[in-house]
Amino acid sequence: MTPNLSTIALIGCGGTISSMAQSPLDTIDYPEYGRKLSVDQLLERLPEARLVANPVVIPFRSIGSSAMTPTDWIELRDLIQKVAANRPRIDGFVILHGTATLEETAYFLDLTLDVPCPVVLVGAQRPFGAVSSDAAMNIISALRIAGSPEAHGKGVLVTLNDEIHAARDVAKTSSYRLHAFRSPECGLLGQVDADRVRFFRAPLRRHAPDSEFAAPRVVKMPRVDIVYSYAGVDATFVDAAVAAGAQGIVSAGFAPGIPTPPERVALERAVTSGITVVQCTRVLSGRVARRQYLRNVGIIAGNDLSPQKARILLSLALTRSRTPDEISDLFDVY
């Protein structure tokens, strides 16, 4: 341990940031043909990490983020809670995560964690061993953010490419470019410079650790499915979600939150049968207002949440209430 450096719990979930490709020029085929490094192996290859923090490795798992499930989220949340409770000298957490579902894991944790210190999720767009990989610097940035006094009270954070984003607002916007994560509506929270971590603003929506969904209440999340609107789509996918046992449905409709006529009929039918429906939009930014039609038929407006994040909030909300007005209030608060 180096005196005067923050002690940061480092948890690995796998993903590109922990991957080694067969060739330093491979930035495409590594998910299927490369290998995953453990957090200990990453630190061996990145001794500079110990210049900015005292990392403490906490074992978890090493998978592609496309394999992450709500069960994994709950286990990760429980692990963070346990470490924070049993090791009070931990100053913050850094979670290495694949970028495909990073924003979803971050938002779930932002809604359910009850820990006093910063939690930062970090990924990479290029595998660790690739030429010009962003993995090493992203890890170092995440450690610096987690140890920053200014990171306290801002909920779960996401960092890539020297930027800091709020878990609620951030979205992946590019498959391969390094500048892949953005907060379209609200903008970034801050930046990581060579000399310091800088914050420009703080999120105002309710977030960890002040969420009513904070651990240990959530043990299982009700099934919520997303149905996607496109020209000519009928009721097939709405009806399939109902048949599969969904307790909630998120409609990723056309802007500003409109499904096709057959979808609308099927969604109204689902509401009548007791299924909670949230209307979102498939476009990258913009708000769905709870206009008169939605109020009349009992459909909840998804506000400016993406369909994938609305699914998480709805699933958690269904563990507390089945009343549309009460759930609608939660979408106004979180």
Side-chain angles (χ1 to χ4, degrees):
M1 293 288 182
T2 302
N4 302 322
L5 289 181
S6 299
T7 300
I8 307 298
L10 194 57
I11 301 175
C13 295
T16 296
I17 196 166
S18 302
S19 296
M20 291 291 289
Q22 291 181 324
S23 162
L25 298 180
D26 174 23
T27 58
I28 296 177
D29 293 321
Y30 65 89
E32 291 82 16
Y33 302 106
R35 62 188 176 94
K36 296 286 191 298
L37 299 175
S38 68
V39 179
D40 286 313
Q41 290 172 326
L42 283 173
L43 287 177
E44 288 177 5
R45 289 167 168 80
L46 187 60
E48 295 83 3
R50 301 190 187 278
L51 299 177
V52 300
N54 292 316
V56 176
V57 175
I58 307 296
F60 186 57
R61 64 196 51 169
S62 185
I63 58 177
S65 67
S66 60
M68 290 289 285
T69 69
T71 299
D72 296 307
W73 294 342
I74 293 171
E75 291 179 9
L76 177 59
R77 185 276 318 270
D78 291 346
L79 175 62
I80 295 170
Q81 294 284 154
K82 181 179 179 180
V83 172
N86 295 336
R87 305 184 71 160
R89 293 187 179 180
I90 293 292
D91 298 307
F93 288 83
V94 166
I95 301 167
L96 309 179
H97 199 288
T99 59
T101 58
L102 187 150
E103 66 198 76
E104 293 170 72
T105 299
Y107 188 51
F108 172 81
L109 295 176
D110 195 50
L111 292 172
T112 60
L113 277 178
D114 180 18
V115 297
C117 53
V119 176
V120 182
L121 276 78
V122 60
Q125 288 290 89
R126 296 172 182 168
F128 192 89
V131 171
S132 197
S133 171
D134 56 331
M137 186 57 79
N138 286 352
I139 293 172
I140 289 174
S141 293
L143 290 169
R144 293 176 61 201
I145 296 166
S148 169
E150 290 187 72
H152 286 258
K154 294 181 173 63
V156 174
L157 303 173
V158 171
T159 185
L160 281 92
N161 204 38
D162 301 330
E163 295 183 344
I164 309 168
H165 294 268
R168 183 191 187 276
D169 302 329
V170 73
K172 185 174 183 180
T173 62
S174 176
S175 294
Y176 292 114
R177 302 288 77 81
L178 298 187
H179 192 193
F181 280 76
R182 305 184 186 188
S183 297
E185 287 291 285
C186 304
L188 50 83
L189 292 182
Q191 294 175 330
V192 184
D193 289 338
D195 59 336
R196 63 189 177 116
V197 174
R198 300 190 301 150
F199 282 92
F200 310 136
R201 66 176 183 91
L204 296 180
R205 295 280 185 155
R206 191 178 300 168
H207 53 69
D210 300 320
S211 167
E212 61 198 274
F213 305 112
R217 293 173 184 162
V218 179
V219 294
K220 185 178 180 181
M221 297 175 68
R223 177 171 182 146
V224 174
D225 288 319
I226 300 172
V227 294
Y228 194 89
S229 294
Y230 55 88
V233 68
D234 58 19
T236 298
F237 299 112
V238 176
D239 292 341
V242 173
Q247 297 180 44
I249 295 174
V250 174
S251 167
F254 306 111
I258 300 173
T260 65
E263 281 184 310
R264 176 176 294 191
V265 171
L267 290 170
E268 291 178 8
R269 188 166 59 241
V271 171
T272 302
S273 70
I275 295 171
T276 304
V277 175
V278 171
Q279 184 64 61
C280 290
T281 172
R282 69 181 194 177
V283 299
L284 188 59
S285 65
R287 172 175 169 264
V288 175
R290 200 176 193 204
R291 58 191 188 274
Q292 183 175 341
Y293 162 73
L294 297 181
R295 293 197 302 270
N296 288 345
V297 300
I299 293 177
I300 296 160
N303 212 303
D304 61 345
L305 284 175
S306 65
Q308 57 268 32
K309 289 184 180 176
R311 170 181 173 256
I312 296 168
L313 179 54
L314 176 56
S315 187
L316 289 169
L318 288 172
T319 67
R320 317 246 337 170
S321 175
R322 300 281 170 154
T323 305
D325 286 341
E326 292 180 359
I327 296 178
S328 182
D329 289 343
L330 293 174
F331 273 80
D332 286 335
V333 171
Y334 289 97

